């Protein structure tokens, strides 16, 4: 399998694009760009997200105890990219 950098975000599904256009007043090209930006933001792997947030909070002078507590709280409400799974791992999920 390729790396996550090999994945190209597809154009947004028709229903999602129509919904965003209808509810925001954005044009279809603008909505497509916004949806792509949101999908790219949420495609960050969990490990990258945790390391990035740790660096950001550490740069603000926070200590690890507070940092890890904050990251854990953020993750409870965050959408992160699923790990890349092999076909064998997918089979095990389905068939046990």
């Amino acid at each position: 399998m390729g790396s996550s950098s090999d994945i190209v975000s597809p154009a947004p599904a028709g229903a999602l694009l129509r919904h965003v256009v209808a509810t925001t007043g954005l044009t279809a090209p603008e909505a497509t760009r916004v949806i792509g930006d949101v999908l790219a933001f949420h495609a960050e792997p969990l490990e990258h997200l945790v390391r990035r947030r740790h660096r950001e909070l550490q740069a603000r002078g926070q200590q690890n105890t507070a940092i890890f507590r904050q990251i854990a709280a953020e993750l409870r409400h965050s959408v992160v990219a699923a790990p890349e799974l092999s076909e064998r791992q997918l089979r095990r999920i389905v068939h046990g």
Side-chain angles (χ1 to χ4, degrees):
M1 276 203 231
S3 70
S4 61
S5 63
D6 295 337
I7 298 172
V8 175
S9 295
L16 175 59
L17 179 59
R18 285 190 300 277
H19 175 75
V20 172
V21 168
T23 60
T24 65
L26 295 173
T27 65
E30 291 168 334
T32 298
R33 184 189 56 76
V34 169
I35 292 167
D37 288 349
V38 170
L39 292 175
F41 177 83
H42 287 296
E44 182 177 25
L46 176 64
E47 294 82 5
H48 294 184
L49 171 66
V50 170
R51 289 184 188 112
R52 177 179 57 78
R53 286 299 291 144
H54 182 269
R55 282 191 311 273
E56 291 170 356
L57 296 169
Q58 198 172 43
R60 293 182 191 165
Q62 292 188 22
Q63 299 299 312
N64 277 342
T65 303
I67 289 172
F68 294 133
R69 194 174 321 126
Q70 181 168 340
I71 292 172
E74 290 174 2
L75 288 174
R76 284 192 286 276
H77 305 286
S78 177
V79 177
V80 295
E84 188 170 329
L85 300 172
S86 68
E87 287 184 38
R88 182 177 181 177
Q89 290 170 310
L90 293 170
R91 284 190 190 97
R92 290 183 116 179
I93 290 170
V94 172
H95 302 294

